[in-house]
């Protein structure tokens, strides 16, 4: 699976959009981009995933560049409860193993 | 509906002992995965089980073993504990749709293991 690079930490004002970048320059054609987040003292929580098109769900939007070498997770109206570590993960979806390779993630702090 | 449940929530052991951690997946989920999370790092994959068979194993020594029961619950066993085994152990369940890119992992809150 391709390696990802994320900033160590970011701050965002409550109510504003939080834009979390992820670099995955070695991504291959069959690899998807997944985002999970981990709120303190909890297990990781799935947010969104995509292959090459932009995706949106009730939690967030995922913007993937045309060359697929980077992506941005957007939380449109951040709240204090969005303070968490956000993990960008790239993996191929073949076979049956559901192994995720987590990096160190981005600590997002939403400020009041 | 109950999410993934893990027990115990906290555990203290001494070096050389063994430990058994337990996980109950979400009802209907047949796949269980185990992850180790050391403080300050992201989770690391240990095992995946599906229909009682091991489907994947991460880079962990043979001291780590696991099994899955007919009701899809799972146990993680660690023998000859080392100080470095101190970590949060996470269990995740999924439906295990083969070749399904959108499959989500649902994680429990973990068992915090401290080895003294």
């Amino acid at each position: 699976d391709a390696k990802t690079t994320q900033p160590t930490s970011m701050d965002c004002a409550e109510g504003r959009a939080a834009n979390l970048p992820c670099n995955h320059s070695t991504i291959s054609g069959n690899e998807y981009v997944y985002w999970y987040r981990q709120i303190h003292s909890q297990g990781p929580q799935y947010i969104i995933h995509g292959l090459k098109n932009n995706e949106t769900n009730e939690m967030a939007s995922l913007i993937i560049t045309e060359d697929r070498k980077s992506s941005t997770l957007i939380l449109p109206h951040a709240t204090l409860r969005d303070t968490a570590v956000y993990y960008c993960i790239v993996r191929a979806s073949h076979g049956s193993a559901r192994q995720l390779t987590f990096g160190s993630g981005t600590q997002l702090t939403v400020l009041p | 509906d109950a999410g993934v449940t893990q027990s115990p929530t906290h555990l203290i052991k001494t070096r050389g002992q063994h430990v058994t951690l337990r996980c109950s997946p979400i009802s209907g989920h047949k796949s269980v995965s185990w992850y180790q999370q050391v403080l300050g790092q992201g989770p690391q994959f240990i095992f995946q089980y599906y229909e009682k068979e091991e489907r994947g194993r991460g880079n962990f020594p043979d001291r780590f073993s696991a099994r899955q029961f007919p009701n899809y619950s799972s146990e993680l066993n660690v023998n000859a504990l080392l100080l470095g085994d101190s970590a949060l152990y996470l269990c995740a369940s999924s439906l295990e749709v083969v070749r399904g890119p959108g499959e989500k992992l649902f994680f429990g809150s973990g068992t915090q293991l401290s080895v003294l």
Side-chain angles (χ1 to χ4, degrees):
Chain A
D1 294 340
K3 184 178 178 179
T4 62
T5 304
Q6 299 178 252
T8 303
S9 64
M10 294 181 62
D11 292 341
C12 176
E14 187 177 20
R16 304 297 293 268
N19 297 283
L20 292 93
C22 179
N23 182 285
H24 32 79
S25 58
T26 60
I27 193 170
S28 59
N30 66 344
E31 290 182 315
Y32 287 73
V33 180
Y34 292 79
W35 284 83
Y36 280 75
R37 73 179 183 183
Q38 187 172 22
I39 296 170
H40 184 63
S41 299
Q42 298 181 20
Q45 175 191 25
Y46 167 87
I47 301 173
I48 199 167
H49 78 281
L51 181 62
K52 54 183 178 182
N53 297 318
N54 298 338
E55 302 288 346
T56 296
N57 63 19
E58 66 277 6
M59 290 183 68
S61 294
L62 174 60
I63 308 298
I64 302 174
T65 58
E66 191 169 347
D67 63 8
R68 303 209 322 122
K69 293 185 177 182
S70 65
S71 61
T72 301
L73 179 74
I74 301 172
L75 308 178
H77 305 287
T79 71
L80 298 179
R81 289 175 295 180
D82 293 321
T83 293
V85 177
Y86 287 77
Y87 296 100
C88 170
I89 301 163
V90 173
R91 69 173 298 272
S93 185
H94 55 267
S96 60
R98 287 297 180 255
Q99 171 182 344
L100 298 179
T101 302
F102 289 82
S104 297
T106 296
Q107 171 66 58
L108 174 69
T109 302
V110 181
L111 304 172
Chain B
D1 287 341
V4 177
T5 58
Q6 294 187 243
S7 63
T9 56
H10 296 82
L11 200 54
I12 299 175
K13 292 286 188 178
T14 57
R15 282 180 298 174
Q17 288 188 312
H18 75 271
V19 67
T20 298
L21 310 180
R22 295 178 175 82
C23 172
S24 293
I26 292 172
S27 178
H29 286 192
K30 298 182 179 181
S31 174
V32 170
S33 303
W34 288 94
Y35 286 77
Q36 180 197 64
Q37 186 172 24
V38 173
L39 189 64
Q41 299 181 17
Q44 276 197 298
F45 173 75
I46 310 176
F47 285 111
Q48 188 215 3
Y49 275 77
Y50 175 67
E51 291 281 14
K52 296 173 289 182
E53 291 186 1
E54 182 181 304
R55 291 295 189 91
R57 183 184 183 115
N59 187 25
F60 280 81
D62 292 342
R63 299 184 296 108
F64 288 77
S65 63
R67 55 179 176 169
Q68 187 176 33
F69 299 98
N71 66 353
Y72 303 111
S73 67
S74 178
E75 285 182 352
L76 175 70
N77 294 284
V78 187
N79 293 324
L81 285 167
L82 304 174
L83 297 180
D85 295 331
S86 295
L88 179 68
Y89 289 85
L90 294 160
C91 173
S93 76
S94 61
L95 282 169
E96 184 61 9
V97 175
V98 177
R99 295 188 177 85
E103 186 177 359
K104 310 170 188 178
L105 289 185
F106 294 83
F107 285 83
S109 295
T111 294
Q112 183 64 55
L113 172 65
S114 298
V115 182
L116 306 179

